[in-house]
Structure formats: structure tokens, C-alpha cells
Amino acid sequence: MKWLILPAAALAFSLGAFFASQADETSDAPPAPPLVSTFAPLADLTDQVDYYLKRIDEALASAEFDEAQLARVKKDGHTLAVLLLTLALHDEDNPFKRSASALIVDAQELAKSADQKSAQSARKQFETHRLDPLPNSQPQTWRKVASMGQLMKQVSVIDTALKRNLKGARLKSQAKTTAPQATTLAAIAQATLLDTHEVKDKADLKDWYSYSAEFRDSSAALSAAIRGGDAAKVNTAFARVSKSCETCHQKFHQELK
């Protein structure tokens, strides 16, 4: 009897493993994300939250607030939402985790602002939740929290700044600014990995995930290279970031080429 049971059990195990592997190969689910600290240093993320909040505050304090400033506030709100989600899911503890749910919603309200007054209201609410943290109302997961179109506009802004500040003496003098900017690109890349609306054919999902991961990892490598201060390594890393964007746009968003 044992002779009959053992082969059957072994066969069942083999078949289960086979079908599990087949399911993995055909799954539409995104790949498991790496530890956040491997692509987004905690200090960079907090630096960038402060940077975008300062930009928003400067715009909202203007007596001549206009449509251009409103557009920038909204774009920065989308970026803040991504940075805050990345901080919420960071493997290192940080002050933003406790009230991440509320802060992400506040950033999204900034991103939806219709005018200066509504933006000021959202900003005030953000500061209230930041200074008086509340327990998370729900566990945080990687998910879409911002508009890809707005995030890509931010990517273009950062790309322009990097092109200007990674040259000559600026490479070292601006490193405290440019390294966190590259980290923001990495956070945006991880966020856009979950937003697959540009993928019209499920067969292309693997490419979308792969291109997004390469954008994330190449941006993280650029941030590290900037800190190293070696111009040749920085140029190589920046070229890799540019290539990752170009490759993705060629397949999924050709008008952005």
C-alpha cells in the first residue's frame, strides 16, 4: 500500500509545482517590489517632501497667484503623494508612517485644487496631520496614488534640472540637490509600475513592469553615482536613465519620444 501512496504523493507534488510555475509565468500581477531602502534612501525622500512643500508654500503665498502657479502646485501635489506612499512603505521607520493615509489624501487634495483658496485649505490640512500624526486608518500597499501624466511632467522638470547640474563643477556643488532628485525619479518609477493604463495588450504587461523597474533601478544608480562624485560614472548612469525612458516611450507612449 505504501508503494502505491508514495508515487502518487510525489506525482501530486510535481503536478502542483508545475501548475504553480505555469501560473507564475502567466500572472498579470506586478513583480514583488524590492525593499524601498534599496532604491530610495530615507533621507532623500524626506528632503524631497520638504522641498516640494516649500515650493507649494511659496506659490500659495504669492499675491499674484496665477494659472501657472496653480498647475505647479497640482503637479507637486501628485509628486508628494508618491513620495509619501514610498515613505509609508519604507523598511526604515520614519515620522510619516503614522499618518501616511491622511497625508496621502491631503496631497491628493492639493493635486485636485481648483484655485488658490482650495489649495491653501488642503495645505493647511496637510500640516495639521503632519504636526499631529494620526494612526493609519488602513495598511499601505503599492497602488496608484497620482496621475501618470502629472508625474511624467515632473520627470521632465527633474530631467532638465539634472542635465544642467550634472556638468562640470556643478556635479559636486549641487550633489545635495541632484542626488535626492534622482531618488524622486526612482520613487515615481516604482509608483508608475502599478499604473498600467498605457498597456493595451496584457501580453505587454511584462515589458511594462520590466521598463518601470529599469527606470527605478537606473534612477537609484544615478543617485548613488552622484554621491560618488565620479563624472564618468554619473554620465553612464544618466545615459542609462535616459535609455530606460526612451525604450518605454517607443513602445507605450510614442508621442513623448
Side-chain angles (χ1 to χ4, degrees), residues 8 29 46 84 114 120 127 132 138 168 185 190:
T46 56
L84 290 162
Q120 288 172 333
E127 201 61 21
D132 186 18
Q138 62 183 29
L185 292 181
Q190 175 59 32

Side-chain angles (χ1 to χ4, degrees), residues 24-215:
D24 288 341
E25 289 180 4
T26 58
S27 174
D28 293 337
L35 290 175
V36 177
S37 60
T38 64
F39 67 86
L42 182 59
D44 284 1
L45 294 171
T46 56
D47 171 277
Q48 290 291 276
V49 168
D50 289 340
Y51 168 75
Y52 285 109
L53 286 175
K54 182 180 178 181
R55 287 214 322 174
I56 289 169
D57 288 344
E58 288 173 351
L60 294 181
S62 174
E64 300 177 356
F65 190 81
D66 57 19
E67 288 298 317
Q69 288 173 309
L70 176 61
R72 193 179 80 177
V73 166
K74 294 171 71 171
K75 179 172 79 262
D76 290 353
H78 286 281
T79 304
L80 269 176
V82 166
L83 291 169
L84 290 162
L85 179 63
T86 309
L87 281 161
L89 292 167
H90 209 285
D91 45 294
E92 297 174 23
D93 194 24
N94 64 81
F96 292 99
K97 285 193 172 187
R98 285 185 58 197
S99 52
S101 293
L103 291 176
I104 291 170
V105 170
D106 295 337
Q108 291 172 327
E109 288 301 311
L110 274 168
K112 294 188 292 186
S113 299
D115 50 34
Q116 187 177 19
K117 185 177 180 179
S118 61
Q120 288 172 333
S121 176
R123 176 66 181 95
K124 183 178 180 180
Q125 189 72 359
F126 184 103
E127 201 61 21
T128 297
H129 290 142
R130 184 182 188 184
L131 295 176
D132 186 18
L134 300 171
N136 279 327
S137 59
Q138 62 183 29
Q140 298 300 308
T141 58
W142 287 114
R143 65 193 191 282
K144 178 180 176 180
V145 294
S147 159
M148 185 185 295
Q150 291 295 311
L151 293 175
M152 290 301 103
K153 288 180 181 179
Q154 197 72 270
V155 167
S156 295
V157 172
I158 295 172
D159 178 67
T160 299
L162 290 175
K163 285 177 179 175
R164 180 176 64 251
N165 292 322
L166 293 181
K167 296 179 180 178
R170 288 181 176 178
L171 172 58
K172 292 186 178 180
S173 68
Q174 298 296 312
K176 289 184 178 180
T177 297
T178 54
Q181 285 177 325
T183 294
T184 293
L185 292 181
I188 288 174
Q190 175 59 32
T192 58
L193 188 149
L194 282 303
D195 184 352
T196 59
H197 79 271
E198 292 286 352
V199 183
K200 309 307 179 186
D201 185 340
K202 282 190 175 182
D204 291 330
L205 275 171
K206 282 188 176 181
D207 284 343
W208 178 263
Y209 296 145
S210 176
Y211 297 158
S212 297
E214 172 59 12
F215 181 25

Side-chain angles (χ1 to χ4, degrees), residues 210-233:
S210 176
Y211 297 158
S212 297
E214 172 59 12
F215 181 25
R216 178 195 66 213
D217 296 343
S218 62
S219 297
L222 174 60
S223 182
I226 291 170
R227 286 188 175 82
D230 185 310
K233 290 181 179 179

